[in-house]
Amino acid sequence: MSALLASLAIAPGCGGHPKNVLTPVADTTPKSSRVTMLVATTRGRSQHAGEMFTGERARSPAFADMTVSLPEVRKVGEVAWPKRLPPNPATDFAILKADELNKDGATARLSAAVRKTPDRSVLVFIHGFNNRFEDSVYRFAQIVHDAGVKSAPVLVTWPSRGSLLGYGYDRESTNYTRNTLEALFQHLAADPGVKEVSILAHSMGNWLALEGLRQMAIRNDGLPAKFKNVMLAAPDVDVDVFRSQIEDMGHHRPRFTLFVSADDRALAFSRRVWGDIPRLGSINPEEAPYKQEMENNKITVIDLTKVKAGDGLHHSKFAQSPEVVKMIGARIAEGQTLTDSRVGLGDHLIAGTTGVAAAAGSTAGLILAAPVAIVDQHTRENYAHHLNAVSNQTGGKQRVASETCVATGTACDAQ
């Protein structure tokens, strides 16, 4: 466990880049690429223009029209975060446009974007745990560009506090966003101008995606044929619950693709936190009963274990591997079957574990997370809040020791 925690602590995270990076800058680099997306969010508005939306929950959804500039020289799969402000479009991801919209404006903006696509299609992306607003915007822009997506991009971003200690809050935020996501799905289903819908979800965002589809299927007595693809990357979903969700969607379902990776360190930690309860990403699809269930439900499982990409946690290979992200783009654009052979992975499918749970909400969990707080900016900012909550339950006996760990930069052992 200590080695795993150490890897979590030293892995690069979102804490290394400046805040408030979303203030639009001048379009000074004609050769840079552009990704324009519609954003739908249940996040609260920020007082800082460069942040736009926080990790707190809003009473009603908000919308935005955003254009991201991507530098000409950049590795496929890489998000080029600015090292200083304002961002330089020649070397950094930068925002060229960030206009908030009302519901009518968002509807008009979506219709216009769909009309520009070659097949009148939409790609909906739902991010995972521990994502600030700018994380989701930049990551989606990278995926759209590197995958060569021609569909109209729609980012659904829910209230995540962007902290490794915020797992419980983040999970409830996905539940909070279910109705908003279903409303978007219902709109896409009813819009005659939209001919095809694909959905890509990562980590905890898979729970939200599946719940939105399930609610829609129950309400409409099935899912529309235009919902073609659902791609689940490292889904943090209980296996039994997933089985129930699939059944509730009925027999006419989209094509499901499940991405797994046995060397995902964050997900291995999650399984321990969940008491070794199997999650969807921890199954071995070659073993009973999962192999037969996957075949019966026509779910493709792709093993990314051998793909060498991403950070030390190996948690975002679906977006950071050039081969995989291009494969996703081909699937959306051309309907090509996703298989391991398309990325040279051999014949066997091997499942990994899922979920990105930090052991927050208990004294032991906070002490375990202290090494992460030392190096992760957003975890550090949320650490005091969690300590206060726990000290109310324990009388503060562990609080001083935990605060000392963060202040001195030393690791703490769980007692």
Side-chain angles (χ1 to χ4, degrees):
M1 175 67 81
S2 59
L4 186 56
L5 284 168
S7 70
L8 285 168
I10 63 175
C14 59
H17 60 75
K19 286 185 178 182
N20 303 329
V21 298
L22 301 181
T23 300
V25 299
D27 186 1
T28 57
T29 311
K31 292 185 179 181
S32 63
S33 300
R34 312 281 191 275
V35 172
T36 297
M37 67 182 73
L38 176 68
V39 179
T41 183
T42 51
R43 293 174 182 261
R45 286 179 171 82
S46 173
Q47 296 180 349
H48 305 286
E51 184 181 29
M52 290 188 68
F53 295 98
T54 70
E56 302 308 303
R57 299 166 186 158
R59 294 298 299 272
S60 59
F63 306 92
D65 181 11
M66 302 189 69
T67 298
V68 183
S69 171
L70 290 72
E72 182 181 14
V73 178
R74 176 186 61 87
K75 294 180 181 179
V76 174
E78 176 185 77
V79 173
W81 284 98
K83 296 179 175 59
R84 62 187 62 84
L85 297 180
N88 179 1
T91 57
D92 309 327
F93 276 42
I95 300 298
L96 302 182
K97 179 175 65 175
D99 298 335
E100 289 197 41
L101 304 171
N102 58 25
K103 186 176 180 179
D104 290 341
T107 300
R109 164 68 182 80
L110 178 60
S111 295
V114 170
R115 286 195 298 270
K116 294 179 181 179
T117 67
D119 55 0
R120 302 296 177 93
S121 63
V122 173
L123 171 63
V124 178
F125 176 62
I126 307 166
H127 65 79
F129 163 64
N130 188 24
N131 268 237
R132 292 168 64 92
F133 180 66
E134 66 264 29
D135 299 325
S136 62
V137 171
Y138 278 6
R139 176 58 72 190
F140 189 34
Q142 174 258 309
I143 292 170
V144 169
H145 177 271
D146 293 348
V149 171
K150 303 302 181 184
S151 304
V154 177
L155 169 64
V156 175
T157 172
W158 45 273
S160 167
R161 283 179 171 163
S163 166
L164 292 172
L165 299 177
Y167 184 86
Y169 174 86
D170 279 18
R171 178 56 180 259
E172 290 304 309
S173 290
T174 62
N175 291 330
Y176 182 77
T177 307
R178 283 181 298 190
N179 291 345
T180 295
L181 180 62
E182 188 206 343
L184 172 63
F185 287 165
Q186 296 282 10
H187 175 80
L188 295 175
D191 186 347
V194 176
K195 303 302 182 183
E196 184 171 313
V197 178
S198 294
I199 300 164
L200 174 63
H202 180 225
S203 187
M204 192 181 288
N206 287 278
W207 169 258
L208 174 55
L210 291 167
E211 282 293 283
L213 289 169
R214 173 182 173 273
Q215 285 188 186
M216 181 183 183
I218 292 173
R219 196 182 310 275
N220 296 5
D221 194 25
L223 292 172
K226 70 171 68 175
F227 280 60
K228 298 291 188 182
N229 303 299
V230 178
M231 292 163 283
L232 311 175
D236 184 6
V237 180
D238 184 290
V239 171
D240 294 328
V241 174
F242 176 67
R243 185 181 294 115
S244 175
Q245 289 169 320
I246 288 292
E247 291 174 355
D248 288 343
M249 291 179 202
H251 296 294
H252 302 290
R253 294 185 295 268
R255 293 182 290 258
F256 279 85
T257 304
L258 170 64
F259 294 92
V260 300
S261 183
D263 64 346
D264 190 320
R265 297 176 182 177
L267 304 185
F269 180 48
S270 173
R271 177 162 182 164
R272 295 194 183 194
V273 171
W274 283 104
D276 208 31
I277 304 264
R279 312 297 283 173
L280 178 58
S282 68
I283 65 169
N284 182 343
E286 290 298 292
E287 294 181 351
Y290 306 120
K291 181 175 182 178
Q292 191 62 49
E293 288 181 342
M294 292 295 168
E295 291 177 356
N296 291 345
N297 289 298
K298 299 180 180 179
I299 297 174
T300 300
V301 184
I302 297 181
D303 174 30
L304 301 182
T305 302
K306 295 181 182 179
V307 172
K308 303 304 178 185
D311 58 29
L313 298 183
H314 306 148
H315 183 54
S316 299
K317 293 182 181 182
F318 80 103
Q320 295 173 304
S321 163
E323 295 83 6
V324 176
V325 75
K326 289 177 181 177
M327 180 179 66
I328 290 172
R331 180 71 182 91
I332 296 170
E334 304 170 20
Q336 295 180 8
T337 302
L338 295 179
T339 66
D340 280 355
S341 62
R342 292 185 63 80
V343 288
L345 294 180
D347 300 327
H348 297 286
L349 304 177
I350 304 172
T353 54
T354 81
V356 190
S362 67
T363 302
L366 288 174
I367 294 175
L368 288 173
V372 183
I374 296 168
V375 296
D376 180 76
Q377 172 187 347
H378 304 308
T379 297
R380 209 159 46 238
E381 292 168 354
N382 285 276
Y383 201 77
H385 169 76
H386 291 281
L387 284 171
N388 287 335
V390 171
S391 66
N392 291 335
Q393 302 172 9
T394 65
K397 293 180 181 179
Q398 300 279 2
R399 179 177 179 181
V400 174
S402 299
E403 287 179 332
T404 301
C405 294
V406 179
T408 60
T410 58
C412 303
D413 296 324
Q415 301 297 321

